[in-house]
mmCIF file of all heavy atoms in Angstrom:
data_model
loop_
_atom_site.group_PDB
_atom_site.id
_atom_site.type_symbol
_atom_site.label_atom_id
_atom_site.label_comp_id
_atom_site.label_asym_id
_atom_site.label_seq_id
_atom_site.Cartn_x
_atom_site.Cartn_y
_atom_site.Cartn_z
ATOM 1 N N LYS A 29 -7.047 -2.575 10.811
ATOM 2 C CA LYS A 29 -5.721 -1.966 10.612
ATOM 3 C C LYS A 29 -5.462 -1.679 9.133
ATOM 4 O O LYS A 29 -4.905 -0.644 8.792
ATOM 5 C CB LYS A 29 -4.654 -2.918 11.170
ATOM 6 C CG LYS A 29 -4.602 -2.952 12.682
ATOM 7 C CD LYS A 29 -3.500 -3.879 13.173
ATOM 8 C CE LYS A 29 -3.400 -3.906 14.702
ATOM 9 N NZ LYS A 29 -2.338 -4.859 15.168
ATOM 10 N N ALA A 30 -5.886 -2.617 8.266
ATOM 11 C CA ALA A 30 -5.692 -2.414 6.840
ATOM 12 C C ALA A 30 -6.514 -1.215 6.372
ATOM 13 O O ALA A 30 -6.036 -0.404 5.535
ATOM 14 C CB ALA A 30 -6.090 -3.671 6.056
ATOM 15 N N ARG A 31 -7.731 -1.061 6.866
ATOM 16 C CA ARG A 31 -8.591 0.047 6.469
ATOM 17 C C ARG A 31 -7.969 1.371 6.884
ATOM 18 O O ARG A 31 -7.927 2.324 6.079
ATOM 19 C CB ARG A 31 -9.975 -0.139 7.129
ATOM 20 C CG ARG A 31 -11.010 0.868 6.703
ATOM 21 C CD ARG A 31 -12.327 0.481 7.315
ATOM 22 N NE ARG A 31 -12.832 -0.764 6.756
ATOM 23 C CZ ARG A 31 -13.807 -1.491 7.328
ATOM 24 N NH1 ARG A 31 -14.384 -1.098 8.478
ATOM 25 N NH2 ARG A 31 -14.218 -2.602 6.742
ATOM 26 N N ALA A 32 -7.428 1.427 8.085
ATOM 27 C CA ALA A 32 -6.784 2.656 8.546
ATOM 28 C C ALA A 32 -5.496 2.925 7.763
ATOM 29 O O ALA A 32 -5.216 4.065 7.381
ATOM 30 C CB ALA A 32 -6.471 2.560 10.039
ATOM 31 N N PHE A 33 -4.735 1.869 7.488
ATOM 32 C CA PHE A 33 -3.471 2.040 6.709
ATOM 33 C C PHE A 33 -3.780 2.572 5.318
ATOM 34 O O PHE A 33 -3.103 3.530 4.847
ATOM 35 C CB PHE A 33 -2.772 0.678 6.600
ATOM 36 C CG PHE A 33 -1.741 0.606 5.529
ATOM 37 C CD1 PHE A 33 -0.501 1.237 5.674
ATOM 38 C CD2 PHE A 33 -2.008 -0.058 4.356
ATOM 39 C CE1 PHE A 33 0.461 1.176 4.666
ATOM 40 C CE2 PHE A 33 -1.071 -0.133 3.324
ATOM 41 C CZ PHE A 33 0.178 0.512 3.488
ATOM 42 N N LEU A 34 -4.739 2.020 4.624
ATOM 43 C CA LEU A 34 -5.042 2.444 3.277
ATOM 44 C C LEU A 34 -5.549 3.875 3.254
ATOM 45 O O LEU A 34 -5.219 4.659 2.351
ATOM 46 C CB LEU A 34 -6.016 1.484 2.629
ATOM 47 C CG LEU A 34 -5.516 0.078 2.370
ATOM 48 C CD1 LEU A 34 -6.664 -0.859 2.001
ATOM 49 C CD2 LEU A 34 -4.497 0.097 1.219
ATOM 50 N N ARG A 35 -6.344 4.225 4.252
ATOM 51 C CA ARG A 35 -6.893 5.579 4.295
ATOM 52 C C ARG A 35 -5.816 6.617 4.583
ATOM 53 O O ARG A 35 -5.787 7.694 3.985
ATOM 54 C CB ARG A 35 -7.991 5.630 5.353
ATOM 55 C CG ARG A 35 -8.736 6.981 5.412
ATOM 56 C CD ARG A 35 -9.891 6.942 6.359
ATOM 57 N NE ARG A 35 -9.495 6.650 7.724
ATOM 58 C CZ ARG A 35 -9.858 5.562 8.399
ATOM 59 N NH1 ARG A 35 -10.561 4.632 7.820
ATOM 60 N NH2 ARG A 35 -9.449 5.358 9.642
ATOM 61 N N LYS A 36 -4.878 6.263 5.489
ATOM 62 C CA LYS A 36 -3.896 7.264 5.928
ATOM 63 C C LYS A 36 -2.618 7.268 5.096
ATOM 64 O O LYS A 36 -2.016 8.313 4.878
ATOM 65 C CB LYS A 36 -3.550 7.005 7.409
ATOM 66 C CG LYS A 36 -4.700 7.190 8.363
ATOM 67 C CD LYS A 36 -4.321 6.802 9.774
ATOM 68 C CE LYS A 36 -5.498 6.908 10.743
ATOM 69 N NZ LYS A 36 -5.152 6.462 12.116
ATOM 70 N N GLU A 37 -2.204 6.111 4.611
ATOM 71 C CA GLU A 37 -0.909 5.981 3.946
ATOM 72 C C GLU A 37 -0.978 5.929 2.412
ATOM 73 O O GLU A 37 -0.047 6.348 1.744
ATOM 74 C CB GLU A 37 -0.167 4.738 4.444
ATOM 75 C CG GLU A 37 0.109 4.729 5.952
ATOM 76 C CD GLU A 37 1.085 5.810 6.361
ATOM 77 O OE1 GLU A 37 1.917 6.222 5.525
ATOM 78 O OE2 GLU A 37 1.039 6.287 7.517
ATOM 79 N N ILE A 38 -2.061 5.384 1.890
ATOM 80 C CA ILE A 38 -2.159 5.179 0.448
ATOM 81 C C ILE A 38 -3.045 6.225 -0.238
ATOM 82 O O ILE A 38 -2.683 6.800 -1.267
ATOM 83 C CB ILE A 38 -2.660 3.777 0.118
ATOM 84 C CG1 ILE A 38 -1.735 2.725 0.747
ATOM 85 C CG2 ILE A 38 -2.788 3.554 -1.375
ATOM 86 C CD1 ILE A 38 -0.280 2.802 0.269
ATOM 87 N N LYS A 39 -4.194 6.504 0.356
ATOM 88 C CA LYS A 39 -5.137 7.425 -0.269
ATOM 89 C C LYS A 39 -4.551 8.807 -0.571
ATOM 90 O O LYS A 39 -4.817 9.351 -1.656
ATOM 91 C CB LYS A 39 -6.399 7.572 0.621
ATOM 92 C CG LYS A 39 -7.512 8.334 -0.037
ATOM 93 C CD LYS A 39 -8.767 8.321 0.859
ATOM 94 C CE LYS A 39 -9.919 9.041 0.198
ATOM 95 N NZ LYS A 39 -11.151 8.988 1.021
ATOM 96 N N PRO A 40 -3.716 9.383 0.296
ATOM 97 C CA PRO A 40 -3.152 10.707 -0.026
ATOM 98 C C PRO A 40 -2.248 10.708 -1.248
ATOM 99 O O PRO A 40 -1.989 11.802 -1.820
ATOM 100 C CB PRO A 40 -2.355 11.055 1.241
ATOM 101 C CG PRO A 40 -2.976 10.271 2.332
ATOM 102 C CD PRO A 40 -3.401 8.979 1.689
ATOM 103 N N LEU A 41 -1.769 9.547 -1.716
ATOM 104 C CA LEU A 41 -0.879 9.512 -2.876
ATOM 105 C C LEU A 41 -1.638 9.482 -4.190
ATOM 106 O O LEU A 41 -1.074 9.788 -5.248
ATOM 107 C CB LEU A 41 0.010 8.252 -2.805
ATOM 108 C CG LEU A 41 0.954 8.112 -1.614
ATOM 109 C CD1 LEU A 41 1.629 6.721 -1.644
ATOM 110 C CD2 LEU A 41 2.010 9.237 -1.647
ATOM 111 N N VAL A 42 -2.912 9.114 -4.144
ATOM 112 C CA VAL A 42 -3.605 8.665 -5.356
ATOM 113 C C VAL A 42 -3.799 9.798 -6.364
ATOM 114 O O VAL A 42 -3.424 9.661 -7.528
ATOM 115 C CB VAL A 42 -4.957 8.038 -4.981
ATOM 116 C CG1 VAL A 42 -5.806 7.817 -6.223
ATOM 117 C CG2 VAL A 42 -4.731 6.727 -4.251
ATOM 118 N N ASN A 43 -4.398 10.888 -5.972
ATOM 119 C CA ASN A 43 -4.791 11.925 -6.963
ATOM 120 C C ASN A 43 -3.605 12.466 -7.748
ATOM 121 O O ASN A 43 -3.681 12.625 -8.967
ATOM 122 C CB ASN A 43 -5.559 13.055 -6.292
ATOM 123 C CG ASN A 43 -6.976 12.676 -5.941
ATOM 124 O OD1 ASN A 43 -7.480 11.631 -6.400
ATOM 125 N ND2 ASN A 43 -7.600 13.472 -5.105
ATOM 126 N N GLU A 44 -2.503 12.757 -7.041
ATOM 127 C CA GLU A 44 -1.321 13.318 -7.721
ATOM 128 C C GLU A 44 -0.798 12.353 -8.787
ATOM 129 O O GLU A 44 -0.532 12.781 -9.936
ATOM 130 C CB GLU A 44 -0.250 13.615 -6.705
ATOM 131 C CG GLU A 44 1.059 14.113 -7.360
ATOM 132 C CD GLU A 44 2.186 14.276 -6.347
ATOM 133 O OE1 GLU A 44 1.961 14.102 -5.140
ATOM 134 O OE2 GLU A 44 3.294 14.580 -6.800
ATOM 135 N N TYR A 45 -0.643 11.101 -8.421
ATOM 136 C CA TYR A 45 -0.019 10.159 -9.346
ATOM 137 C C TYR A 45 -0.993 9.667 -10.423
ATOM 138 O O TYR A 45 -0.576 9.335 -11.521
ATOM 139 C CB TYR A 45 0.583 8.988 -8.590
ATOM 140 C CG TYR A 45 1.881 9.389 -7.905
ATOM 141 C CD1 TYR A 45 1.887 9.890 -6.602
ATOM 142 C CD2 TYR A 45 3.089 9.316 -8.563
ATOM 143 C CE1 TYR A 45 3.063 10.280 -5.982
ATOM 144 C CE2 TYR A 45 4.263 9.723 -7.980
ATOM 145 C CZ TYR A 45 4.244 10.205 -6.673
ATOM 146 O OH TYR A 45 5.400 10.597 -6.069
ATOM 147 N N TRP A 46 -2.267 9.665 -10.083
ATOM 148 C CA TRP A 46 -3.271 9.373 -11.124
ATOM 149 C C TRP A 46 -3.189 10.443 -12.185
ATOM 150 O O TRP A 46 -3.203 10.152 -13.403
ATOM 151 C CB TRP A 46 -4.675 9.344 -10.520
ATOM 152 C CG TRP A 46 -5.774 9.097 -11.502
ATOM 153 C CD1 TRP A 46 -6.302 9.941 -12.413
ATOM 154 C CD2 TRP A 46 -6.475 7.867 -11.691
ATOM 155 N NE1 TRP A 46 -7.268 9.333 -13.161
ATOM 156 C CE2 TRP A 46 -7.402 8.035 -12.745
ATOM 157 C CE3 TRP A 46 -6.395 6.593 -11.078
ATOM 158 C CZ2 TRP A 46 -8.273 7.048 -13.181
ATOM 159 C CZ3 TRP A 46 -7.278 5.596 -11.511
ATOM 160 C CH2 TRP A 46 -8.199 5.826 -12.550
ATOM 161 N N GLY A 47 -3.098 11.711 -11.783
ATOM 162 C CA GLY A 47 -3.038 12.814 -12.744
ATOM 163 C C GLY A 47 -1.756 12.714 -13.628
ATOM 164 O O GLY A 47 -1.822 12.990 -14.826
ATOM 165 N N LYS A 48 -0.651 12.333 -13.020
ATOM 166 C CA LYS A 48 0.612 12.254 -13.765
ATOM 167 C C LYS A 48 0.743 10.938 -14.563
ATOM 168 O O LYS A 48 1.603 10.845 -15.441
ATOM 169 C CB LYS A 48 1.768 12.380 -12.800
ATOM 170 C CG LYS A 48 1.878 13.725 -12.125
ATOM 171 C CD LYS A 48 3.169 13.899 -11.384
ATOM 172 C CE LYS A 48 3.333 12.977 -10.226
ATOM 173 N NZ LYS A 48 4.562 13.301 -9.428
ATOM 174 N N GLY A 49 -0.085 9.960 -14.237
ATOM 175 C CA GLY A 49 0.043 8.674 -14.901
ATOM 176 C C GLY A 49 1.303 7.958 -14.512
ATOM 177 O O GLY A 49 1.884 7.202 -15.294
ATOM 178 N N GLU A 50 1.758 8.173 -13.300
ATOM 179 C CA GLU A 50 3.003 7.563 -12.808
ATOM 180 C C GLU A 50 2.721 6.711 -11.585
ATOM 181 O O GLU A 50 1.687 6.824 -10.957
ATOM 182 C CB GLU A 50 4.042 8.649 -12.478
ATOM 183 C CG GLU A 50 4.432 9.542 -13.642
ATOM 184 C CD GLU A 50 5.360 10.649 -13.234
ATOM 185 O OE1 GLU A 50 5.647 10.765 -12.015
ATOM 186 O OE2 GLU A 50 5.759 11.420 -14.091
ATOM 187 N N PHE A 51 3.709 5.854 -11.277
ATOM 188 C CA PHE A 51 3.564 5.003 -10.110
ATOM 189 C C PHE A 51 4.332 5.575 -8.910
ATOM 190 O O PHE A 51 5.514 5.919 -9.061
ATOM 191 C CB PHE A 51 4.102 3.578 -10.405
ATOM 192 C CG PHE A 51 3.885 2.617 -9.271
ATOM 193 C CD1 PHE A 51 2.657 1.960 -9.152
ATOM 194 C CD2 PHE A 51 4.873 2.380 -8.351
ATOM 195 C CE1 PHE A 51 2.459 1.071 -8.106
ATOM 196 C CE2 PHE A 51 4.665 1.481 -7.301
ATOM 197 C CZ PHE A 51 3.445 0.831 -7.177
ATOM 198 N N PRO A 52 3.687 5.731 -7.758
ATOM 199 C CA PRO A 52 4.393 6.224 -6.556
ATOM 200 C C PRO A 52 5.173 5.097 -5.884
ATOM 201 O O PRO A 52 4.621 4.301 -5.145
ATOM 202 C CB PRO A 52 3.258 6.711 -5.668
ATOM 203 C CG PRO A 52 2.079 5.847 -6.040
ATOM 204 C CD PRO A 52 2.265 5.479 -7.503
ATOM 205 N N PHE A 53 6.483 5.043 -6.135
ATOM 206 C CA PHE A 53 7.255 3.906 -5.620
ATOM 207 C C PHE A 53 7.367 3.914 -4.108
ATOM 208 O O PHE A 53 7.651 2.874 -3.513
ATOM 209 C CB PHE A 53 8.623 3.900 -6.262
ATOM 210 C CG PHE A 53 8.610 3.436 -7.698
ATOM 211 C CD1 PHE A 53 8.569 4.360 -8.735
ATOM 212 C CD2 PHE A 53 8.576 2.100 -7.988
ATOM 213 C CE1 PHE A 53 8.512 3.918 -10.056
ATOM 214 C CE2 PHE A 53 8.526 1.645 -9.303
ATOM 215 C CZ PHE A 53 8.490 2.558 -10.345
ATOM 216 N N GLU A 54 7.101 5.044 -3.470
ATOM 217 C CA GLU A 54 7.075 5.057 -2.011
ATOM 218 C C GLU A 54 5.919 4.184 -1.474
ATOM 219 O O GLU A 54 5.938 3.755 -0.314
ATOM 220 C CB GLU A 54 6.961 6.463 -1.458
ATOM 221 C CG GLU A 54 5.695 7.220 -1.868
ATOM 222 C CD GLU A 54 5.926 8.122 -3.050
ATOM 223 O OE1 GLU A 54 6.570 7.700 -4.021
ATOM 224 O OE2 GLU A 54 5.450 9.291 -3.026
ATOM 225 N N MET A 55 4.953 3.910 -2.365
ATOM 226 C CA MET A 55 3.837 3.055 -1.965
ATOM 227 C C MET A 55 4.313 1.652 -1.627
ATOM 228 O O MET A 55 3.792 1.001 -0.706
ATOM 229 C CB MET A 55 2.808 2.993 -3.110
ATOM 230 C CG MET A 55 1.574 2.148 -2.809
ATOM 231 S SD MET A 55 0.493 1.985 -4.261
ATOM 232 C CE MET A 55 -0.123 3.655 -4.410
ATOM 233 N N ILE A 56 5.328 1.161 -2.354
ATOM 234 C CA ILE A 56 5.823 -0.190 -2.085
ATOM 235 C C ILE A 56 6.409 -0.264 -0.708
ATOM 236 O O ILE A 56 6.145 -1.230 0.054
ATOM 237 C CB ILE A 56 6.871 -0.584 -3.145
ATOM 238 C CG1 ILE A 56 6.213 -0.638 -4.537
ATOM 239 C CG2 ILE A 56 7.524 -1.917 -2.782
ATOM 240 C CD1 ILE A 56 7.172 -0.936 -5.656
ATOM 241 N N GLU A 57 7.180 0.728 -0.302
ATOM 242 C CA GLU A 57 7.766 0.746 1.025
ATOM 243 C C GLU A 57 6.684 0.769 2.110
ATOM 244 O O GLU A 57 6.769 0.099 3.119
ATOM 245 C CB GLU A 57 8.709 1.922 1.194
ATOM 246 C CG GLU A 57 9.370 1.998 2.547
ATOM 247 C CD GLU A 57 10.201 0.751 2.889
ATOM 248 O OE1 GLU A 57 10.822 0.197 1.952
ATOM 249 O OE2 GLU A 57 10.212 0.335 4.053
ATOM 250 N N ARG A 58 5.611 1.511 1.832
ATOM 251 C CA ARG A 58 4.514 1.583 2.819
ATOM 252 C C ARG A 58 3.796 0.232 2.908
ATOM 253 O O ARG A 58 3.416 -0.206 4.008
ATOM 254 C CB ARG A 58 3.539 2.689 2.421
ATOM 255 C CG ARG A 58 4.193 4.045 2.469
ATOM 256 C CD ARG A 58 3.202 5.186 2.153
ATOM 257 N NE ARG A 58 3.901 6.499 2.072
ATOM 258 C CZ ARG A 58 3.304 7.646 1.982
ATOM 259 N NH1 ARG A 58 1.976 7.713 1.944
ATOM 260 N NH2 ARG A 58 4.007 8.753 1.910
ATOM 261 N N PHE A 59 3.621 -0.442 1.782
ATOM 262 C CA PHE A 59 3.016 -1.767 1.810
ATOM 263 C C PHE A 59 3.932 -2.770 2.546
ATOM 264 O O PHE A 59 3.406 -3.685 3.206
ATOM 265 C CB PHE A 59 2.727 -2.256 0.389
ATOM 266 C CG PHE A 59 1.363 -1.906 -0.089
ATOM 267 C CD1 PHE A 59 1.151 -1.018 -1.133
ATOM 268 C CD2 PHE A 59 0.221 -2.468 0.492
ATOM 269 C CE1 PHE A 59 -0.103 -0.685 -1.594
ATOM 270 C CE2 PHE A 59 -1.039 -2.159 0.039
ATOM 271 C CZ PHE A 59 -1.214 -1.273 -1.002
ATOM 272 N N ARG A 60 5.229 -2.609 2.420
ATOM 273 C CA ARG A 60 6.135 -3.525 3.104
ATOM 274 C C ARG A 60 5.871 -3.534 4.601
ATOM 275 O O ARG A 60 5.898 -4.585 5.252
ATOM 276 C CB ARG A 60 7.585 -3.126 2.853
ATOM 277 C CG ARG A 60 8.142 -3.524 1.492
ATOM 278 C CD ARG A 60 9.659 -3.377 1.475
ATOM 279 N NE ARG A 60 10.132 -3.547 0.106
ATOM 280 C CZ ARG A 60 10.692 -2.578 -0.631
ATOM 281 N NH1 ARG A 60 10.827 -1.374 -0.109
ATOM 282 N NH2 ARG A 60 11.113 -2.835 -1.856
ATOM 283 N N THR A 61 5.642 -2.362 5.159
ATOM 284 C CA THR A 61 5.454 -2.275 6.606
ATOM 285 C C THR A 61 4.042 -2.659 7.055
ATOM 286 O O THR A 61 3.807 -2.841 8.250
ATOM 287 C CB THR A 61 5.749 -0.819 7.066
ATOM 288 O OG1 THR A 61 4.828 0.074 6.463
ATOM 289 C CG2 THR A 61 7.185 -0.414 6.696
ATOM 290 N N SER A 62 3.139 -2.787 6.093
ATOM 291 C CA SER A 62 1.746 -3.058 6.449
ATOM 292 C C SER A 62 1.499 -4.539 6.754
ATOM 293 O O SER A 62 0.543 -4.893 7.442
ATOM 294 C CB SER A 62 0.797 -2.640 5.320
ATOM 295 O OG SER A 62 0.915 -3.537 4.201
ATOM 296 N N GLY A 63 2.301 -5.431 6.207
ATOM 297 C CA GLY A 63 2.107 -6.857 6.434
ATOM 298 C C GLY A 63 0.937 -7.449 5.689
ATOM 299 O O GLY A 63 0.466 -8.529 6.015
ATOM 300 N N LEU A 64 0.438 -6.757 4.628
ATOM 301 C CA LEU A 64 -0.765 -7.235 3.938
ATOM 302 C C LEU A 64 -0.451 -8.284 2.869
ATOM 303 O O LEU A 64 -1.341 -9.049 2.481
ATOM 304 C CB LEU A 64 -1.497 -6.039 3.297
ATOM 305 C CG LEU A 64 -2.138 -5.044 4.252
ATOM 306 C CD1 LEU A 64 -2.789 -3.917 3.486
ATOM 307 C CD2 LEU A 64 -3.186 -5.766 5.111
ATOM 308 N N ALA A 65 0.799 -8.313 2.378
ATOM 309 C CA ALA A 65 1.093 -9.248 1.297
ATOM 310 C C ALA A 65 1.119 -10.673 1.809
ATOM 311 O O ALA A 65 1.531 -10.955 2.917
ATOM 312 C CB ALA A 65 2.447 -8.887 0.657
ATOM 313 N N ALA A 66 0.659 -11.573 0.945
ATOM 314 C CA ALA A 66 0.747 -13.039 1.171
ATOM 315 C C ALA A 66 -0.067 -13.526 2.366
ATOM 316 O O ALA A 66 0.151 -14.647 2.832
ATOM 317 C CB ALA A 66 2.192 -13.487 1.283
ATOM 318 N N LEU A 67 -1.017 -12.734 2.862
ATOM 319 C CA LEU A 67 -1.803 -13.193 4.016
ATOM 320 C C LEU A 67 -2.594 -14.461 3.699
ATOM 321 O O LEU A 67 -2.853 -15.250 4.603
ATOM 322 C CB LEU A 67 -2.781 -12.093 4.437
ATOM 323 C CG LEU A 67 -2.221 -10.898 5.207
ATOM 324 C CD1 LEU A 67 -3.308 -9.895 5.477
ATOM 325 C CD2 LEU A 67 -1.571 -11.362 6.486
ATOM 326 N N ALA A 68 -2.964 -14.663 2.451
ATOM 327 C CA ALA A 68 -3.825 -15.796 2.107
ATOM 328 C C ALA A 68 -3.023 -17.059 1.794
ATOM 329 O O ALA A 68 -3.638 -18.091 1.467
ATOM 330 C CB ALA A 68 -4.688 -15.442 0.901
ATOM 331 N N TYR A 69 -1.698 -17.000 1.927
ATOM 332 C CA TYR A 69 -0.896 -18.141 1.513
ATOM 333 C C TYR A 69 -0.266 -18.813 2.711
ATOM 334 O O TYR A 69 0.459 -18.211 3.506
ATOM 335 C CB TYR A 69 0.239 -17.650 0.563
ATOM 336 C CG TYR A 69 -0.278 -17.058 -0.700
ATOM 337 C CD1 TYR A 69 -0.493 -15.687 -0.852
ATOM 338 C CD2 TYR A 69 -0.586 -17.893 -1.793
ATOM 339 C CE1 TYR A 69 -0.972 -15.140 -2.008
ATOM 340 C CE2 TYR A 69 -1.069 -17.332 -2.984
ATOM 341 C CZ TYR A 69 -1.269 -15.986 -3.087
ATOM 342 O OH TYR A 69 -1.765 -15.432 -4.246
ATOM 343 N N GLU A 70 -0.585 -20.104 2.852
ATOM 344 C CA GLU A 70 -0.060 -20.874 3.961
ATOM 345 C C GLU A 70 1.440 -20.879 3.960
ATOM 346 O O GLU A 70 2.106 -21.271 2.995
ATOM 347 C CB GLU A 70 -0.579 -22.319 3.875
ATOM 348 C CG GLU A 70 -0.434 -23.094 5.136
ATOM 349 C CD GLU A 70 -1.441 -22.696 6.194
ATOM 350 O OE1 GLU A 70 -2.626 -22.561 5.885
ATOM 351 O OE2 GLU A 70 -1.003 -22.474 7.345
ATOM 352 N N GLY A 71 2.058 -20.427 5.058
ATOM 353 C CA GLY A 71 3.478 -20.516 5.222
ATOM 354 C C GLY A 71 4.274 -19.294 4.751
ATOM 355 O O GLY A 71 5.496 -19.261 4.913
ATOM 356 N N TYR A 72 3.600 -18.291 4.163
ATOM 357 C CA TYR A 72 4.354 -17.165 3.607
ATOM 358 C C TYR A 72 3.944 -15.812 4.209
ATOM 359 O O TYR A 72 4.780 -14.932 4.358
ATOM 360 C CB TYR A 72 4.202 -17.143 2.085
ATOM 361 C CG TYR A 72 4.880 -18.311 1.444
ATOM 362 C CD1 TYR A 72 4.137 -19.439 1.047
ATOM 363 C CD2 TYR A 72 6.266 -18.333 1.250
ATOM 364 C CE1 TYR A 72 4.753 -20.530 0.469
ATOM 365 C CE2 TYR A 72 6.887 -19.422 0.669
ATOM 366 C CZ TYR A 72 6.138 -20.521 0.278
ATOM 367 O OH TYR A 72 6.750 -21.618 -0.279
ATOM 368 N N GLY A 73 2.685 -15.592 4.518
ATOM 369 C CA GLY A 73 2.256 -14.317 5.082
ATOM 370 C C GLY A 73 2.481 -14.240 6.577
ATOM 371 O O GLY A 73 2.839 -15.216 7.240
ATOM 372 N N GLU A 74 2.286 -13.056 7.113
ATOM 373 C CA GLU A 74 2.446 -12.833 8.558
ATOM 374 C C GLU A 74 1.324 -13.482 9.371
ATOM 375 O O GLU A 74 1.474 -13.765 10.564
ATOM 376 C CB GLU A 74 2.514 -11.349 8.875
ATOM 377 C CG GLU A 74 3.780 -10.672 8.325
ATOM 378 C CD GLU A 74 3.878 -9.235 8.758
ATOM 379 O OE1 GLU A 74 3.043 -8.787 9.587
ATOM 380 O OE2 GLU A 74 4.804 -8.549 8.302
ATOM 381 N N HIS A 75 0.157 -13.711 8.727
ATOM 382 C CA HIS A 75 -0.973 -14.257 9.446
ATOM 383 C C HIS A 75 -0.943 -15.780 9.375
ATOM 384 O O HIS A 75 -0.893 -16.339 8.289
ATOM 385 C CB HIS A 75 -2.288 -13.737 8.819
ATOM 386 C CG HIS A 75 -3.505 -14.171 9.522
ATOM 387 N ND1 HIS A 75 -4.321 -15.208 9.101
ATOM 388 C CD2 HIS A 75 -4.102 -13.732 10.651
ATOM 389 C CE1 HIS A 75 -5.354 -15.358 9.904
ATOM 390 N NE2 HIS A 75 -5.240 -14.465 10.863
#
């Protein structure tokens, strides 16, 4: 699921913002829905 998420939701943002040297803040909202944060921490991640 993470592999598909990164390929479909994150990869399309990269080239434009790399060129501009800016951060795509919509990326944070996409990561929020992915459930990837804090997976390795007992008691805090979704896993």
Side-chain angles (χ1 to χ4, degrees):
K29 287 181 178 178
R31 187 174 293 163
F33 163 75
L34 292 167
R35 184 174 62 244
K36 296 174 183 177
E37 300 293 334
I38 302 302
K39 189 174 181 178
L41 298 173
V42 169
N43 284 347
E44 176 186 355
Y45 285 91
W46 179 284
K48 295 191 294 186
E50 298 175 358
F51 185 83
F53 286 96
E54 61 264 44
M55 181 186 292
I56 296 177
E57 180 58 37
R58 297 183 186 189
F59 268 113
R60 282 194 190 111
T61 63
S62 72
L64 292 178
L67 284 178
Y69 297 94
E70 195 74 47
Y72 293 99
E74 292 186 6
H75 184 259

